[in-house]
Amino acid sequence: AQKVTQAQTEISVVEKEDVTLDCVYETRDTTYYLFWYKQPPSGELVFLIRRNSFDEQNEISGRYSWNFQKSTSSFNFTITASQVVDSAVYFCALCSGNTGKLIFGQGTTLQVKP
Amino acid sequence: EPEVTQTPSHQVTQMGQEVILRCVPISNHLYFYWYRQILGQKVEFLVSFYNNEISEKSEIFDDQFSVERPDGSNFTLKIRSTKLEDSAMYFCASSETGLGAYNEQFFGPGTRLTVL
C-alpha cells in the first residue's frame, strides 16, 4: 500500500523562526519520487521540489532545505527564517507508479505571524 | 513561463446536471491528470491519461466521470450527473513523463465546482 502521512496538522510560528514540516511515506516500490507542494490561500498548488528514491543527498535552496532519509521513510522540509508569505498549506506527495499518480498527505497548515 | 490553464474558475450547477471542466496542459507534456480537493481536505487523485487513453483511475472515478482529449490542446473532465458530494476544487495537472526524470506535475489554478 502507498501512503503519505503528515502528522502535523497546523504549525504556528513567529516570523524569522525556523520551521520543519514532517512527512513519512509508505511504498513497496524501490523506485519512487517524493514531492513537496505549497498551496497558498489563493488555492493553487505550487511545485517546490522533487526527490527520487536513489538520491538521498539533501539540499538547501535559499531558505528551503530538505532532509530525505530512506531508513526512516521520511522526507522533511525546513523553512529557515520564515516569512509571513510562507503561510500556506504544504503537501508532501509520493509517486511510485508508471502512471505518475501522486498520493498526497493530509497537508500541514503553516501560519507565520509577524 | 508555460502554465496549465483551467476554465471555468468557478462552476455552479444543479444536482443531476452534467458539467464539463476544461484544461489546457503545458504544450510539450504527455501525461495529464485530474485531482480533486474537497474543501479543507487533502488532494485526491482521480485519473491519469496518456497516449489518448486512461492509464490509471481511482475508485472515486466511477461511471459518472469521463475524460477526453478532444483536440491537440484541451483535456476535459465530464461529470454526467452531478451529486452534492461532487462539490470540490478540481485540479488539472500535466507532466512530461510519468515516472522518471521530468515527472514533476504542474497544476492548473483549479475549477471550484459547487453542486446545489
Side-chain angles (χ1 to χ4, degrees):
Chain A
Q2 298 165 344
K3 188 178 177 183
V4 176
T5 302
Q6 294 178 254
Q8 304 151 310
T9 307
E10 291 184 27
I11 300 177
S12 182
V13 299
V14 176
E15 205 169 22
K16 296 183 185 173
E17 285 184 14
D18 298 348
V19 58
T20 295
L21 309 181
D22 298 334
C23 173
V24 173
Y25 62 92
E26 293 175 32
T27 180
R28 292 189 184 140
D29 294 321
T30 55
T31 300
Y32 53 89
Y33 290 78
L34 296 162
F35 299 79
W36 277 97
Y37 283 86
K38 174 182 178 180
Q39 187 175 43
S42 48
E44 71 271 25
L45 285 163
V46 179
F47 165 73
L48 295 178
I49 190 172
R50 179 195 66 171
R51 271 293 175 267
N52 71 51
S53 50
F54 301 109
D55 179 10
E56 284 193 78
Q57 182 178 349
N58 296 312
E59 184 176 313
I60 297 174
S61 175
R63 295 186 299 108
Y64 297 160
S65 62
W66 295 266
N67 186 353
F68 174 31
Q69 292 194 354
K70 285 177 75 171
S71 59
T72 55
S73 298
S74 64
F75 184 48
N76 298 337
F77 170 58
T78 298
I79 302 174
T80 303
S82 59
Q83 299 174 1
V84 173
V85 293
D86 295 328
S87 297
V89 181
Y90 289 82
F91 289 97
C92 179
L94 167 70
C95 173
S96 64
N98 289 333
T99 62
K101 173 178 78 174
L102 286 177
I103 297 164
F104 284 83
Q106 295 283 3
T108 297
T109 300
L110 173 64
Q111 183 181 33
V112 182
K113 298 177 181 175
Chain B
E1 187 175 323
E3 57 183 19
V4 177
T5 59
Q6 290 185 243
T7 53
S9 56
H10 192 188
Q11 174 98 44
V12 181
T13 190
Q14 295 290 326
M15 192 169 56
Q17 295 295 307
E18 174 183 286
V19 294
I20 297 176
L21 310 183
R22 291 184 168 80
C23 168
V24 179
I26 294 173
S27 61
N28 65 328
H29 286 187
L30 301 177
Y31 289 76
F32 314 114
Y33 312 85
W34 284 101
Y35 294 83
R36 79 169 187 193
Q37 184 181 31
I38 295 171
L39 187 63
Q41 298 187 21
K42 70 176 178 180
V43 180
E44 299 174 290
F45 168 78
L46 290 178
V47 65
S48 58
F49 190 87
Y50 169 70
N51 200 26
N52 279 318
E53 59 183 30
I54 290 174
S55 44
E56 186 172 358
K57 58 184 181 180
S58 72
E59 58 271 14
I60 302 169
F61 194 89
D62 61 22
D63 292 344
Q64 294 299 313
F65 291 88
S66 62
V67 289
E68 196 177 34
R69 188 150 161 86
D71 52 44
S73 58
N74 290 284
F75 179 51
T76 61
L77 174 69
K78 182 194 288 186
I79 309 176
R80 249 178 287 280
S81 177
T82 50
K83 309 186 192 78
L84 294 176
E85 54 265 36
D86 293 328
S87 294
M89 181 74 92
Y90 288 81
F91 291 103
C92 173
S94 68
S95 61
E96 283 189 53
T97 65
L99 188 69
Y102 311 112
N103 70 336
E104 54 266 34
Q105 292 178 30
F106 294 93
F107 284 76
T111 293
R112 179 159 297 286
L113 176 65
T114 302
V115 182
L116 303 176

